[in-house]
Amino acid sequence: RAQQEGAPSFDFQGSAKMGIDLIAGGRNKKVHRTAPKSDNVYLKLLVKLYQFLVRRTESKFNQVILKRLFQSKTNRAPLSLSKLAKFMEGKAGKIAVVVGTVTDDVRLFEVPKVRVAALRFTETARARITKAGGEALTFDQLALERPTGKDCVLLRGPKSQREAVKHFGAAGVPGSSAKPYVRSTGRKFEKARGRRKSRGYKA
């Protein structure tokens, strides 16, 4: 049968080549962010400031700050006052730096005098820090005071404490501690076969 006009011809003697589409400029293997996804103008100004500091100083501290400013909200986990107090024990005269939110912790009875620079403070956390004689700084204030990050303690909150993380994995499988998604809580839920010894087996 005659080959149709315009149809591709295939040579099955090993000369047929498969191609891949490339982004202009070659294979793009860089997967880290180079700018924040957020449209927050204040965040963008901070990025500009720290890009300047990275360029003009040889400080690894500024590089880390810039990288964290690009991160998503889940990667900028909040840090509580109790954890902050624990991490700053024996570090008098140093500034705690959190690229994220500093939150209050009602379980902490006495807040120590501490200077903290963070992207955001909850209202009660800020009030308790200032009442204890400490100071809640912004990143532009930090950049003016400590342009190279000298005598700064870089901290971050726990990423794995989100509710969503508790559900990761297969719930009900023997040896698994993944939290199941339950329609409701009560006598009739999560009490049947596989969940207690008296009903077949307990996973």
Side-chain angles (χ1 to χ4, degrees):
R1 208 169 123 185
Q3 193 179 3
Q4 288 180 350
E5 205 177 312
S9 61
F10 294 100
D11 177 12
F12 293 105
Q13 304 304 313
S15 61
K17 290 179 183 175
M18 292 295 288
I20 55 166
D21 286 333
L22 293 175
I23 299 166
R27 285 184 172 84
N28 182 19
K29 287 186 178 175
K30 290 179 181 172
V31 289
H32 60 270
R33 287 185 182 184
T34 53
K37 285 268 181 90
S38 170
D39 289 324
N40 188 321
V41 286
Y42 300 106
L43 183 65
K44 286 185 173 181
L45 283 170
L46 280 184
V47 166
K48 264 191 168 180
L49 170 64
Y50 273 90
Q51 278 173 336
F52 169 79
L53 287 173
V54 166
R55 206 165 57 242
R56 297 299 294 271
T57 64
E58 289 182 2
S59 169
K60 186 90 164 71
F61 173 85
N62 288 330
Q63 288 176 24
V64 175
I65 293 286
L66 183 64
K67 183 189 167 190
R68 291 189 189 178
L69 285 171
F70 295 158
Q71 288 178 338
S72 62
K73 198 175 177 183
T74 49
N75 288 321
R76 289 185 283 107
L79 185 72
S80 68
L81 273 181
S82 56
K83 284 283 183 197
L84 181 74
K86 184 186 167 191
F87 292 141
M88 292 305 286
E89 275 176 19
K91 293 184 175 73
K94 297 197 174 188
I95 300 176
V97 181
V98 183
V99 185
T101 308
V102 172
T103 57
D104 185 24
D105 192 343
V106 291
R107 297 168 299 181
L108 183 67
F109 186 67
E110 215 170 294
V111 178
K113 183 182 175 181
V114 65
R115 299 184 76 204
V116 195
L119 277 181
R120 195 175 147 264
F121 295 88
T122 61
E123 212 173 299
T124 45
R126 187 191 294 275
R128 289 187 75 184
I129 289 166
T130 48
K131 191 181 176 184
E135 201 177 347
L137 301 164
T138 57
F139 272 97
D140 49 325
Q141 288 173 317
L142 180 74
L144 285 169
E145 197 176 321
R146 308 277 167 97
T148 58
K150 191 177 188 298
D151 287 332
C152 289
V153 182
L154 196 54
L155 304 171
R156 54 179 164 182
K159 268 173 65 176
S160 60
Q161 296 304 302
R162 289 189 305 136
E163 174 61 25
V165 177
K166 293 174 185 176
H167 295 281
F168 290 175
V173 173
S176 168
S177 58
K179 189 176 179 181
Y181 285 105
V182 182
R183 178 163 47 105
S184 183
T185 53
R187 174 184 59 81
K188 300 189 288 186
F189 306 98
E190 295 291 309
K191 298 282 190 291
R193 191 169 181 276
R195 298 305 277 152
R196 48 175 55 197
K197 277 272 189 225
S198 63
R199 299 288 181 276
Y201 72 102
K202 170 91 168 73

